[in-house]
Amino acid sequence: MKIQAVRGTRDILPDEIPTWQVLEEAAQRLLGRYGYREIRTPAFEETELFARGIGAETDIVSKEMYTFDDRDGSSLTLRPEATAGIVRAVIEHNLMNTDPALKVYGLGPMFRRERPQKGRYRQFHQLDVEAFGFTSPTIDAEIVELAIAYLEACGVEQHELILNSVGDGRCRPGYVEVLRKALRERASEMCGDCQRRIETNPLRVLDCKVPADQAIVDQLPRFVDHLCPECRDHFGEVRRQLEVLGIAYRLNHRLVRGLDYYVRTTFEVLSGELGAQNSVLGGGRYDGLVRDLGGPDVAGTGFAVGLERLALLLPPGEGQSRCDVFLAPLAGAALDPALLLQRDLRRAGVRTMLDPEGRSFKSRMKQADKLGARLVAILGEDEMKRGVWTVRDMARSEQEDVPEGQILDHLKEKTNG
RNA sequence: GUGGGUGUAGCUCAGCUCGGUUAGAGCGCCAGGUUGUGGCCCUGGAGGCCGCGGGUUCGAAUCCCGUCACUCACCCCA
């Protein structure tokens, strides 16, 4: 039996790493400018945290979690999303006390036991951005603007922002009833899943993908028309500010999102290049969550980006140079000076390699070429007699003699420019 | 959990329909074509339980059954 990566997991091989570093460095650079600081929370938590935070009825909690019993009998779960764990840490360390306007982000692996497909893995990585303690629509708009800025900083050009409001505790129950009543009248025309959802979770009917159902959904009452005055004003101001900021969006009243904790603003960024998993980023407001998890009643807003999906949108990284100077000691007595020169160059910050196997000169030239070395420094019988190194510029195909006393400085200078 | 597609060299794939000598190509890798010089070109080489198990047959990569994996889609989501 061959051992291979677990279903739904994958290796990120060295060739792909530059792409991932682009995503990670862009996050660090950009989020700092907006005042966010990184937070790192454990990859697993008590199961109860997710059951309470995400909603026991959601698919994630009811059938997609990696849950196991610890030896003392407590139930633990690999985190299926980041927000619950971050909220737990915020509460546990009373971060809101010292910083009533808290901006944090997290980056790391999440785990969901779903059937894998394009852009969906059982272990996947998310960048999660969370702002606590801000109630005003200005932070909603800022979060959306930040999300778009991040995608663009990563080099994503083709994207579509969709936006909706799902109301709050005051107006949502009313709308759900209006919706359910309307749905019951059309129930016989809808798919089996939807007929069931009319009673269990009518909002989910809205994003049903069955074409016939979508036609019906388009005729249903819309949430935006049933918002309470506060939610309506809030949403109106979010939209106004997005327009001020020049951010194009499309209203989509079917956007309800899968996690129970969202209120008011919800948004998602789609890309056509991801197959069926076309959502690359999603977020919104979750004002009750911190309170529900036992913390102070503070507002929350944020988003999560799927990094595997984001990586799919970027062009494959081209082969990068891995070496500045390649040393080629040809004579036996040339090895020691080459080892010393290699050590000194590396300490000076110059990427330096040689062929420890001591293969043919031609082979070493090929290696230097493949590694992308700009310079090859050759030390053979002839050079040793004359007290010089031959330094070859690979791109120009030119070479020159450099006295051995100057070789270190010469190579340092040539590679720093 | 449910459907479809695909499993042959490190990678991309041909061969399978109409079973038949040592299973192929391109790329990649290694070596050589120079007396100490990369890319281009040429030559050679290494590398395959033809996913796995069973069946049919004189004979199976090829036909049949099962199984596992990958993949796309449904569900749901980043």
Side-chain angles (χ1 to χ4, degrees):
Chain A
M1 183 175 97
K2 263 187 296 190
I3 296 180
Q4 53 186 355
V6 171
R7 182 173 178 75
T9 69
R10 57 182 231 107
D11 303 304
I12 301 171
L13 300 177
D15 283 350
E16 297 174 79
I17 291 296
T19 298
W20 282 76
Q21 287 174 337
V22 165
L23 305 183
E24 289 162 6
E25 282 160 17
Q28 215 171 358
R29 181 163 27 90
L30 197 63
L31 285 158
R33 292 186 207 160
Y34 286 72
Y36 290 83
R37 293 185 297 162
E38 185 175 358
I39 185 169
R40 303 187 188 188
T41 66
F44 58 93
E45 300 271 359
E46 287 184 31
T47 302
E48 174 69 11
L49 173 68
F50 301 116
R52 281 208 284 164
I54 302 169
E57 301 309 310
T58 60
D59 279 25
I60 291 176
V61 171
S62 63
K63 57 186 197 193
E64 295 175 358
M65 297 204 304
Y66 281 101
T67 296
F68 58 96
D69 289 336
D70 201 355
R71 291 192 183 185
D72 64 3
S74 58
S75 180
L76 304 179
T77 294
L78 264 35
R79 62 180 177 192
E81 57 96 50
T83 303
I86 291 175
V87 169
R88 195 224 80 234
V90 167
I91 296 169
E92 187 167 333
H93 302 284
N94 290 312
L95 296 185
M96 296 307 297
N97 283 357
T98 51
D99 192 354
L102 181 68
K103 291 175 157 185
V104 291
Y105 72 93
L107 185 66
M110 311 293 156
F111 307 84
R112 287 183 205 169
R113 199 179 184 293
E114 299 178 275
R115 196 75 175 264
Q117 65 191 75
K118 186 180 178 73
R120 179 161 75 192
Y121 303 94
R122 289 182 170 186
Q123 174 174 341
F124 60 101
H125 296 76
Q126 284 187 337
L127 166 65
D128 268 78
V129 177
E130 324 273 359
F132 298 102
F134 298 89
T135 56
S136 99
T138 301
I139 200 73
D140 300 51
E142 182 186 283
I143 285 273
V144 172
E145 191 271 328
L146 166 58
I148 299 296
Y150 175 65
L151 295 180
E152 290 178 353
C154 292
V156 176
E157 285 163 13
Q158 302 266 341
H159 54 70
E160 181 185 17
L161 171 66
I162 60 177
L163 188 71
N164 193 20
S165 174
V166 294
D168 64 8
R170 280 167 299 196
C171 51
R172 181 156 19 181
Y175 172 69
V176 168
E177 277 320 303
V178 168
L179 181 64
R180 183 174 279 147
K181 188 177 272 181
L183 283 167
R184 280 181 182 143
E185 290 173 17
R186 311 289 299 267
S188 60
E189 304 166 56
M190 310 196 75
C191 72
D193 282 339
C194 284
Q195 294 191 18
R196 185 165 33 78
R197 285 189 286 226
I198 289 172
E199 301 309 324
T200 59
N201 191 352
L203 291 176
R204 291 247 66 85
V205 176
L206 294 178
D207 63 359
C208 179
K209 287 183 180 114
V210 177
D213 287 14
Q214 283 184 7
I216 296 170
V217 165
D218 284 334
Q219 299 163 15
L220 294 170
R222 301 180 174 210
F223 214 146
V224 291
D225 299 323
H226 290 78
L227 295 173
C228 60
E230 291 79 4
C231 286
R232 191 176 56 232
D233 290 349
H234 184 96
F235 193 46
E237 183 61 12
V238 173
R239 294 177 58 182
R240 193 190 68 78
Q241 291 192 21
L242 288 178
E243 278 148 33
V244 168
L245 294 170
I247 294 170
Y249 64 88
R250 187 165 58 79
L251 279 185
N252 185 337
H253 72 283
R254 294 199 294 248
L255 176 63
V256 292
R257 305 192 52 71
L259 283 57
D260 284 355
Y261 52 61
Y262 283 107
V263 297
R264 294 192 168 171
T265 312
T266 60
F267 66 97
E268 210 167 292
V269 177
L270 310 179
S271 166
E273 299 172 51
L274 291 173
Q277 306 305 313
N278 63 347
S279 171
V280 66
L281 179 153
R285 179 167 280 279
Y286 41 88
D287 287 344
L289 181 62
V290 179
R291 184 198 59 222
D292 290 348
L293 289 176
D297 189 7
V298 296
T301 319
F303 67 85
V305 196
L307 297 185
E308 278 80 3
R309 291 183 187 178
L310 182 49
L312 282 173
L313 299 178
L314 303 184
E318 289 130 44
Q320 290 186 326
S321 164
R322 289 158 55 191
C323 181
D324 301 311
V325 175
F326 192 90
L327 302 182
L330 299 182
L335 179 61
D336 291 359
L339 290 174
L340 286 170
L341 179 58
Q342 174 171 253
R343 182 197 66 183
D344 292 341
L345 283 168
R346 285 171 170 172
R347 288 185 179 181
V350 179
R351 299 177 304 168
T352 309
M353 289 189 225
L354 53 69
D355 176 24
E357 303 301 311
R359 280 172 282 195
S360 72
F361 187 33
K362 179 172 185 151
S363 165
R364 289 190 241 187
M365 290 301 291
K366 284 188 180 176
Q367 292 175 58
D369 186 51
K370 227 168 292 171
L371 291 167
R374 286 147 71 184
L375 300 172
V376 175
I378 303 155
L379 186 62
E381 305 276 1
D382 176 51
E383 285 85 356
M384 293 194 76
K385 259 179 240 163
R386 294 191 289 130
V388 300
W389 288 70
T390 297
V391 175
R392 179 176 180 83
D393 182 313
M394 295 294 274
R396 296 168 186 268
S397 296
E398 291 169 0
Q399 44 195 60
E400 60 182 322
D401 288 348
V402 178
E404 59 189 359
Q406 297 167 26
I407 186 65
L408 178 61
D409 288 334
H410 176 87
L411 293 173
K412 274 159 67 176
E413 190 188 331
K414 282 280 188 182
T415 52
N416 282 341

